[in-house]
Amino acid sequence: MNLQNRTTELVSQFLEGSPKQIVIAYSGGVDSHLLLVTVAELVSKYPAHHYLAVHVNHGLSPNADQWQKHCQQVCAELNIQFKVQQVKVDASANGGLEAAARKVRYQALEAMTEHHGVILLGQHVQDQLETILLQLKRGAGPKGLSAMAQSSVNENSITLARPFLGLEKQDIVQLAQQKGLQWIEDESNQDTRFDRNFLRSQIIPSLLERWPNLASAANRSAQLCAEQQQLLDEVNAKHLQAMVNQRFAIHIGKLQRLSEAWQNQIVRFWLAEQKVEMPSQSVLGELPKLLGAKPDGNPIIDIGLYQLRRFREHLYCIKKRKPELDVKLTLTTSNTRLPNDLGHLHIDEKYIGQLLIVSRANNLKFKPLGSPHSKLLKQWFKQWDVPVWERERSLMLYWQDNVIAVLCEQHITFASEIPCELRTMLHFRPNPPQL
């Protein structure tokens, strides 16, 4: 099979099936340009799809606007709809400029893609080798060494496809030259301060000169790692299903019955299910201390924007959120967004201006509806199994200088003194739990 036919076949496999949106990630470089042209050549064969080329303008180069105009002109000539996504890159973000630019690029592409759509990306086998080497530098395990999948589906049912992942860079350039394509050369690709550029210009050429098939071999290794990770995840899922409660918190006793290696595996899988950035090996090394802490202890492991915490016999992953202090809010509308991100409180219009939300007070005595006696609020929290971090964010609802309800993250508890009519006119709609 000649190179033209092979390229056409690689792209065609992602255009089969029912009508859908096909988004081509078009930077203007040779890889995405050849991908765009190949798609354009197949439009007449697959006319039912909605085709869209998306150019993400990071604004990082002085030539960015010129590249955008070039991409717009090419799409007009190919009769492919063209859209631009202007993005800002936070160079101070975790992972540096490269990682931040990649993250916002994918976010921008997904924002332009409909559910069940397909995003076509132009990465090739040398890009895969770069990714694997970077993962080795980070000390990654099988999941990281799986690198880029040729095809994957995200939580929004969007398929990310890389038709050229088995192609060599030289094949892409050769075919682009044969077609007479004019593409963009990004000057930043020569800046070896960035890890990928360093590998691309100074390391990988020497490796490929010594071992010409290294990129293809590394891609096979990535596929094997992906298979191994899939098998691990099947076992992880079965273990986890038997360990978690309704809040997706892990029962510590059940976790501790497994070896330390399996504990780490399951915790990684659990975090990945919650879209939490993977902790380093050193952070995971603190896990035994947290699991082995006293039941009434309050140990914390920080993972970026999240924390691992234990409460009673369960391990929780929660998003870091500071409670508002000294809350004092009169309800002036029938639908109020509550402080501390607890949710919304709906009240009948006749009670507007009569109800007050204030911060919780642990030393306040409270008698819940249906209870024969009153106790300190902090004692009720313990009895209700409210985790420490949720107690800090709880609120109290006052009417006529009396506490008539306590609002926690997922429920409202009415006081015994609340009039029946008022209770029926209060509706608490909590936000989904952020674990």
Side-chain angles (χ1 to χ4, degrees):
M1 183 184 298
N2 65 32
L3 187 55
Q4 171 66 56
N5 291 340
R6 184 184 176 200
T7 304
T8 300
E9 185 178 281
L10 288 171
V11 175
S12 294
Q13 64 181 314
F14 296 106
L15 303 182
E16 300 286 351
S18 58
K20 49 188 169 285
Q21 186 189 38
I22 306 295
V23 173
I24 306 97
Y26 182 36
S27 68
V30 63
D31 311 320
S32 65
H33 197 150
L34 180 63
L35 178 61
L36 177 69
V37 168
T38 305
V39 171
E41 292 169 347
L42 288 165
V43 168
S44 59
K45 185 177 178 180
Y46 303 97
H49 300 313
H50 169 214
Y51 296 92
L52 173 66
V54 175
H55 177 77
V56 181
N57 187 338
H58 300 88
L60 296 174
S61 168
N63 299 313
D65 291 340
Q66 183 179 340
W67 296 341
Q68 179 179 316
K69 291 179 182 178
H70 167 84
C71 292
Q72 185 173 10
Q73 181 179 348
V74 169
C75 289
E77 293 171 355
L78 294 172
N79 197 28
I80 296 288
Q81 185 182 2
F82 174 78
K83 287 189 178 180
V84 175
Q85 279 282 68
Q86 302 277 353
V87 297
K88 291 184 179 180
V89 181
D90 181 7
S92 64
N94 187 30
L97 183 63
E98 275 185 299
R102 182 168 59 252
K103 182 177 180 179
V104 297
R105 182 163 60 250
Y106 279 98
Q107 289 174 340
L109 289 167
E110 290 182 17
M112 300 292 288
T113 308
E114 300 167 358
H115 289 299
H116 305 291
V118 178
I119 299 175
L120 298 179
L121 303 158
Q123 286 113 337
H124 48 76
V125 73
Q126 273 82 18
D127 291 324
Q128 183 78 308
L129 178 57
E130 292 168 11
T131 302
I132 293 169
L133 291 174
L134 288 172
Q135 292 294 342
L136 281 172
K137 179 183 77 72
R138 298 176 185 129
K143 186 169 185 176
L145 294 175
S146 300
M148 297 182 290
Q150 186 167 48
S151 177
S152 61
V153 181
N154 69 12
E155 62 273 14
N156 294 320
S157 300
I158 296 171
T159 299
L160 274 70
R162 299 175 175 88
F164 293 170
L165 201 57
L167 287 180
E168 300 280 345
K169 175 75 171 184
Q170 62 190 30
D171 292 335
I172 292 174
V173 173
Q174 178 186 332
L175 187 55
Q177 290 173 338
Q178 290 175 8
K179 291 176 176 289
L181 305 184
Q182 300 294 319
W183 58 85
I184 291 167
E185 294 288 355
D186 186 345
E187 75 281 349
S188 70
N189 288 336
Q190 307 305 315
D191 189 345
T192 56
R193 291 177 300 171
F194 300 119
D195 290 343
R196 277 193 181 270
N197 293 344
F198 172 70
L199 289 172
R200 188 176 301 151
S201 64
Q202 298 192 22
I203 303 300
I204 289 178
S206 297
L207 292 175
L208 294 179
E209 184 178 357
R210 178 65 178 256
W211 301 296
N213 296 322
L214 177 61
S216 297
N219 191 32
R220 288 195 299 273
S221 291
Q223 292 170 2
L224 290 172
C225 285
E227 289 179 8
Q228 293 298 313
Q229 187 62 49
Q230 183 178 353
L231 293 174
L232 276 173
D233 286 347
E234 289 176 8
V235 180
N236 286 333
K238 290 179 181 178
H239 278 308
L240 189 61
Q241 187 177 10
M243 292 181 181
V244 293
N245 63 11
Q246 293 180 338
R247 297 289 304 276
F248 205 57
I250 297 177
H251 190 279
I252 291 173
K254 294 178 180 179
L255 183 64
Q256 287 179 314
R257 291 172 196 159
L258 303 177
S259 68
E260 188 173 324
W262 270 112
Q263 290 177 25
N264 289 339
Q265 272 290 330
I266 291 166
V267 168
R268 287 193 190 99
F269 179 78
W270 174 64
L271 293 174
E273 289 289 286
Q274 299 172 84
K275 312 301 178 187
V276 177
E277 184 178 345
M278 281 299 102
S280 65
Q281 194 67 30
S282 62
V283 170
L284 272 183
E286 300 177 32
L287 188 60
K289 295 179 182 178
L290 189 149
L291 299 180
K294 293 180 180 180
D296 59 350
N298 189 29
I300 300 172
I301 296 177
D302 285 320
I303 307 176
L305 298 175
Y306 293 82
Q307 290 179 333
L308 295 185
R309 301 184 68 161
R310 67 171 291 162
F311 178 68
R312 303 287 167 86
E313 289 300 317
H314 283 86
L315 176 67
Y316 290 80
C317 177
I318 63 168
K319 194 168 186 179
K320 294 178 183 177
R321 290 180 293 182
K322 290 185 178 180
E324 293 183 37
L325 301 176
D326 301 322
V327 172
K328 194 171 184 179
L329 173 67
T330 300
L331 303 187
T332 56
T333 64
S334 60
N335 181 21
T336 302
R337 183 177 180 179
L338 295 170
N340 293 337
D341 199 26
L342 288 189
H344 290 76
L345 189 65
H346 301 262
I347 61 173
D348 189 271
E349 291 185 357
K350 66 184 292 185
Y351 288 104
I352 290 176
Q354 299 183 39
L355 300 175
L356 182 68
I357 291 286
V358 300
S359 308
R360 62 94 177 87
N362 283 331
N363 293 323
L364 176 83
K365 282 207 168 185
F366 182 71
K367 186 179 179 182
L369 186 67
S371 174
H373 57 273
S374 62
K375 290 194 294 189
L376 292 176
L377 185 59
K378 62 182 179 181
Q379 294 174 328
W380 285 118
F381 281 148
K382 289 182 180 179
Q383 184 172 324
W384 297 336
D385 283 338
V386 178
V388 175
W389 54 92
E390 291 184 14
R391 299 177 197 179
E392 296 169 349
R393 297 172 52 247
S394 62
L395 301 168
M396 296 185 300
L397 181 63
Y398 277 81
W399 178 65
Q400 295 183 352
D401 297 327
N402 294 313
V403 178
I404 61 169
V406 175
L407 295 142
C408 294
E409 187 161 307
Q410 289 301 303
H411 60 88
I412 181 170
T413 302
F414 292 108
S416 60
E417 295 84 2
I418 185 172
C420 182
E421 179 193 2
L422 177 54
R423 177 158 49 93
T424 60
M425 294 185 180
L426 285 174
H427 300 281
F428 174 48
R429 192 179 73 216
N431 286 334
Q434 295 186 26
L435 301 179

